[in-house]
């Protein structure tokens, strides 16, 4: 009869999985099981084994049986025993004759690029560890007992109350805690809205012609058809909206081309939603990080019943925190909660409470202000380096956000990305973000295949350069490598 998952926590606080089987004695079965565990690498060299009494009680055998088994394996060289140190797996335990030792190899770590200038990731070294830890401790100490039970799918009320206050103050959002649902980020929000059964929202969905491919792929997997909207210097041309049921915009800072949605178009898209009984999905991308212009409030403030506002801490704090929020029109709240399920399974309750404290204590505001200064300095260094070493390259989209777009001469984008890769610089070409239907146009938006410059439908060559990811000491070298990889001025 096999005995497994032995709980030997009396002194060492660990579990030991053993299989005792076979027709022989319990002593022989125990010796074979321990020997096999060491031989197979499950018990690593130096591992301390349970005391005789603990293991005997867990296995239901006599104490002397365990003592004899340990002694036999010590004699064979599998184990070592020292006074005060207990019984451990020998540091150089060799298998008995006739058995080949199975080497344990650590897989090599994948080598990344020397210089990471990809968009969308903050400087990981700047995470506010001390203040976050202080908020976590306060949250843990003050948490009621019910926190450690099943969660509310809407999220902790403490965080929803803190967000309602913060978003109203900092982003002009009009809401109340009952209309906020906590999620793990923007992608999770899209899944809750479009990939539920039944879906909360349905397509077709208009999107900006330049946007994150990952979001388009996620929507396509949910069966949602996306229709590209042209872009120009005023943002998405919302006047092209027609039969779509919803539109997804990044009005604070268009991703990736940069720039806010013009005030007249903000009003126009809300008017469209009212007339069509549609909805605007507002991705508040880089809403906190503006440098050379006044803050742009959320479109949601124009009509809270026609806009779904989505935000997260992935840029302002860290993508590792996995916390975001949806501010919903009242008619969508129940549908989103039903899609999410009755138990909160996406965002740690303790992290939610920590973020609530981080917001109400003022730590979040201080951190954002500090990072705004740091990223503005990074942006300025990028612009200065390009002005000195590549003055023929136009830099756009730098009034806000964590990245810049470098406009390139026609036909040079692919070679520039390849040159950057050879130089050890990771970045993205602008074409990677263009909707596949934008080049040929669609009936819904009525665009021609290649319209004249200025209409927003013509493709541009460019590089999307993130300046937030590298650590401070590595940033200078990254800029040098970037400038060396850029195409020279046309002769």
């Amino acid at each position: 009869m096999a005995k497994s998952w032995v709980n030997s926590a009396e002194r060492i606080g660990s579990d030991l999985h053993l299989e005792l089987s076979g027709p022989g004695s319990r002593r022989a079965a125990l010796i074979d099981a321990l020997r096999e565990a060491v031989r197979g690498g499950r018990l690593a060299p130096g591992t301390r084994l349970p005391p005789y009494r603990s293991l005997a009680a867990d296995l239901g055998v006599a104490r002397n049986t365990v003592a004899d088994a340990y002694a036999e394996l010590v004699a064979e060289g599998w184990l070592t025993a020292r006074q005060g140190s207990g019984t451990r797996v020998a540091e150089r335990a060799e298998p008995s004759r006739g058995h080949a030792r199975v080497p344990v190899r650590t897989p090599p770590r994948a080598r990344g690029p020397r210089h990471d200038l990809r968009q969308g990731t903050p400087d990981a070294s700047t995470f506010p560890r001390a203040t976050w830890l202080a908020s976590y401790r306060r949250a843990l100490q003050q948490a009621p007992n019910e926190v450690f039970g099943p969660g509310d799918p809407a999220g902790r009320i403490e965080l929803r109350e803190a967000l309602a206050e913060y978003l109203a103050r900092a982003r002009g959002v009009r809401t109340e805690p009952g209309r906020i649902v906590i999620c793990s980020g923007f992608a999770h929000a899209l899944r809750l809205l479009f990939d539920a059964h039944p879906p909360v929202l349905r397509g077709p969905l208009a999107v900006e012609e330049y946007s994150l491919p990952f979001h388009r792929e996620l929507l396509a997997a949910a069966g949602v058809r996306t229709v590209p909207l042209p872009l120009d210097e005023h943002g998405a041309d919302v006047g092209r909206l027609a039969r779509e049921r919803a539109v997804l915009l990044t009005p604070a800072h268009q991703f990736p081309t940069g720039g806010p949605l013009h005030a007249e178009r903000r009003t126009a898209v809300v008017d469209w939603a009212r007339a069509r009984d549609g909805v605007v999905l507002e991705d508040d991308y880089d809403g906190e990080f503006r440098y050379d212009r006044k803050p742009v409030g959320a479109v949601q403030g124009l009509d809270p019943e026609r806009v779904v506002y989505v935000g997260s801490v992935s840029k302002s704090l860290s993508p590792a925190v996995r916390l975001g929020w949806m501010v919903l029109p009242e008619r969508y709240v129940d549908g989103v909660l039903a899609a999410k399920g009755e138990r909160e399974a996406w965002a740690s309750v303790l992290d939610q409470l920590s973020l609530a404290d981080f917001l109400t204590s003022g730590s979040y505001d201080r951190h954002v202000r500090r990072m705004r200064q740091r990223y503005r300095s990074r942006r300025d260094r990028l612009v200065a380096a390009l002005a000195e070493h590549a003055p023929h390259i136009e830099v756009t989209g730098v009034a806000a956000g964590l990245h810049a777009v470098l406009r390139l001469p026609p036909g040079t984008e692919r070679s520039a990305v390849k040159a950057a890769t050879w130089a050890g610089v990771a970045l993205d070409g602008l074409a990677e973000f263009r909707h596949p239907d934008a080049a040929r146009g669609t009936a819904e938006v009525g665009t021609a295949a290649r319209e004249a410059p200025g209409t927003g439908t013509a493709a541009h060559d460019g590089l999307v350069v993130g300046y937030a990811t590298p650590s401070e000491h590595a940033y200078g070298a990254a800029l040098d490598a970037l400038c060396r990889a850029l195409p020279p001025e046309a002769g």
Side-chain angles (χ1 to χ4, degrees), residues 270-331:
V270 170
D271 289 342
W272 167 85
R274 291 168 178 163
R276 295 282 304 171
D277 193 26
V279 63
V280 179
L281 273 66
E282 180 174 14
D283 179 2
D284 197 22
Y285 193 87
D286 289 341
E288 301 94 343
F289 299 116
R290 73 276 176 184
Y291 313 120
D292 300 331
R293 58 173 169 78
K294 295 180 179 180
V296 178
V299 172
Q300 189 269 359
L302 298 178
D303 192 338
E305 292 303 325
R306 292 294 172 186
V307 181
V308 174
Y309 174 93
V310 185
S312 77
V313 297
S314 61
K315 308 294 186 299
S316 56
L317 278 176
S318 167
V321 177
R322 306 309 304 152
L323 280 177
W325 47 87
M326 307 168 67
V327 179
L328 297 162
E330 185 176 10
R331 65 186 183 278

Side-chain angles (χ1 to χ4, degrees), residues 45-395:
T47 300
R48 184 179 178 181
L49 299 183
Y52 305 152
R53 182 191 310 166
S54 301
L55 188 56
D58 289 335
L59 292 173
V61 300
R63 179 180 176 185
N64 287 344
T65 299
V66 178
D68 290 347
Y70 279 8
E72 176 71 21
L73 293 172
V74 168
E76 292 180 6
W78 295 94
L79 306 178
T80 61
R82 294 182 181 179
Q83 186 69 29
S85 181
T87 304
R88 297 178 181 271
V89 177
E91 288 296 334
R92 294 185 178 273
E94 293 296 334
S96 58
R97 187 174 300 174
H99 293 280
R101 186 181 184 192
V102 179
V104 178
R105 295 186 176 92
T106 302
R109 295 182 62 185
R111 294 185 62 185
R114 291 195 301 274
H115 310 293
D116 191 351
L117 294 179
R118 287 170 290 196
Q119 56 76 33
T121 307
D123 183 352
S125 68
T126 63
F127 184 81
R129 301 181 188 220
T131 48
W132 181 261
L133 179 59
S135 287
Y136 193 94
R137 283 175 171 166
R138 284 193 296 269
L140 188 60
Q141 290 169 350
Q142 299 169 10
N145 292 336
E146 50 111 2
V147 160
F148 302 97
D152 183 343
R156 287 299 304 181
I157 184 62
E158 295 90 340
L159 178 55
R160 290 185 285 125
E161 289 175 343
L163 283 170
E165 187 279 330
Y166 172 78
L167 294 173
R169 170 172 53 83
R171 304 296 302 126
V173 170
R174 293 191 288 149
T175 190
E176 56 190 30
R179 297 193 185 189
I180 298 177
V181 174
I182 304 302
C183 56
S184 63
F186 189 80
H188 183 205
L190 285 181
R191 290 188 178 98
L192 291 173
L193 290 168
F194 290 98
D195 203 18
H197 301 285
V200 179
L201 298 179
R202 300 178 185 272
L205 172 69
V207 298
E208 296 158 329
E209 67 173 330
Y210 285 93
S211 57
L212 275 174
F214 170 64
H215 291 164
R216 296 197 300 266
E217 292 164 4
L218 185 155
L219 290 163
V224 178
R225 184 168 65 90
T226 55
V227 179
L229 281 179
L231 293 168
D232 58 25
E233 66 273 17
H234 299 304
D237 186 356
V238 297
R240 305 291 188 97
L241 287 167
R243 297 191 299 271
E244 297 80 21
R245 298 182 179 182
V247 57
L248 170 58
L249 301 173
T250 52
H253 185 235
Q254 201 288 319
F255 177 85
T257 62
L261 186 65
H262 192 275
E264 291 182 0
R265 293 188 178 179
R266 289 167 168 254
T267 302
V269 75
V270 170
D271 289 342
W272 167 85
R274 291 168 178 163
R276 295 282 304 171
D277 193 26
V279 63
V280 179
L281 273 66
E282 180 174 14
D283 179 2
D284 197 22
Y285 193 87
D286 289 341
E288 301 94 343
F289 299 116
R290 73 276 176 184
Y291 313 120
D292 300 331
R293 58 173 169 78
K294 295 180 179 180
V296 178
V299 172
Q300 189 269 359
L302 298 178
D303 192 338
E305 292 303 325
R306 292 294 172 186
V307 181
V308 174
Y309 174 93
V310 185
S312 77
V313 297
S314 61
K315 308 294 186 299
S316 56
L317 278 176
S318 167
V321 177
R322 306 309 304 152
L323 280 177
W325 47 87
M326 307 168 67
V327 179
L328 297 162
E330 185 176 10
R331 65 186 183 278
Y332 296 136
V333 173
D334 289 343
V336 169
L337 293 180
K340 203 175 184 194
E342 294 185 359
R343 289 178 180 262
E344 170 56 58
W346 294 88
S348 163
V349 169
L350 292 178
D351 284 345
Q352 291 182 52
L353 293 175
S354 300
L355 180 57
D357 183 273
F358 205 68
L359 286 163
T360 57
S361 67
S363 297
Y364 186 79
D365 288 273
R366 289 189 291 271
H367 174 72
V368 168
R369 285 196 296 270
R370 183 167 59 251
M371 298 313 300
R372 192 181 295 139
Q373 294 172 355
R374 176 185 290 262
Y375 292 145
R376 177 172 184 165
S377 174
R378 293 278 188 93
R379 191 259 340 236
D380 291 347
R381 290 175 62 184
L382 169 64
V383 172
L386 292 170
E388 180 179 358
H389 300 290
H392 58 288
I393 301 294
E394 180 187 2
V395 187

